[in-house]
Amino acid sequence: MRDKIEAYIDELFKSAPDNPQTRELKEEILSNTLEKYEDLVAGGMNDESAYKSAISGIGDVDELIKEYSGDSGEIIEVKSAEIVEPKPDETVKPKRSLQKIVVAIMWCLIIVIYLVVSITTGAWQFTWVAFLIGFALKFVIDGIFELINQKQ
């Protein structure tokens, strides 16, 4: 996938002037894009989705390239390659980490409540119902976060 990312960035810079500034800019964009891709793959995203998400973060480099068009001040018109936007379900959703934290806290509380009630009352045969309630609450929390994500 590294070759595919390099080819995409080469396409973005094919009309750019060949000078140290644009080469440095190109290398920086390549480095950042590869790092983002690797982070997304390490986070569990499949290769193609991670590629699309990483390159969508590049955005429009035309203005940056124009700044580095050369010492003569000549402006070179650069057409950038088409950027493929990832589908909403393929992007990493920051709300997911908050959702995981809320669910983890809920399960910790369920376990504490279960143990406290079971130990103090000795009603072990009935307190297991707390886990069924926990599963129901997890589905409620998942539904709430899904609604929030759909509204955005």
Side-chain angles (χ1 to χ4, degrees):
M1 199 55 76
R2 178 183 173 86
D3 294 337
K4 191 173 179 181
I5 292 171
E6 286 179 1
Y8 179 83
I9 293 174
D10 286 343
E11 182 67 25
L12 287 176
F13 282 83
K14 74 178 180 182
S15 299
D18 187 22
N19 61 34
Q21 293 90 350
T22 55
R23 285 191 296 272
E24 182 180 333
L25 176 64
K26 181 179 174 182
E27 284 301 315
E28 183 177 344
I29 290 173
L30 176 62
S31 173
N32 291 342
T33 305
L34 288 170
E35 184 177 331
K36 182 176 181 180
Y37 167 78
E38 290 167 3
D39 288 345
L40 293 170
V41 170
M45 189 178 280
N46 69 45
D47 288 347
E48 192 60 33
S49 297
Y51 166 77
K52 289 178 183 177
S53 183
I55 65 166
S56 72
I58 296 172
D60 186 17
V61 296
D62 291 348
E63 290 301 317
L64 292 171
I65 292 173
K66 285 180 184 178
E67 286 181 29
Y68 299 113
S69 62
D71 297 332
S72 65
E74 173 188 352
I75 302 295
I76 299 172
E77 188 64 31
V78 178
K79 293 186 178 182
S80 50
E82 178 183 342
I83 296 175
V84 179
E85 290 291 329
K87 296 177 185 169
D89 59 326
E90 293 178 341
T91 58
V92 176
K93 296 179 180 153
K95 299 258 185 225
R96 291 283 183 215
S97 59
L98 177 61
Q99 181 179 356
K100 288 179 181 180
I101 292 169
V102 170
V103 169
I105 290 170
M106 181 217 49
W107 279 116
C108 289
L109 290 173
I110 293 285
I111 291 170
V112 168
I113 291 169
Y114 166 75
L115 290 173
V116 168
V117 172
S118 296
I119 291 170
T120 57
T121 65
W124 295 91
Q125 68 273 21
F126 301 113
T127 54
W128 61 269
V129 173
F131 293 105
L132 296 178
I133 294 169
F135 280 109
L137 285 174
K138 183 190 181 309
F139 287 116
V140 170
I141 291 169
D142 290 345
I144 290 170
F145 276 92
E146 188 64 33
L147 286 173
I148 290 170
N149 286 335
Q150 285 179 359
K151 287 183 181 180
Q152 293 178 350

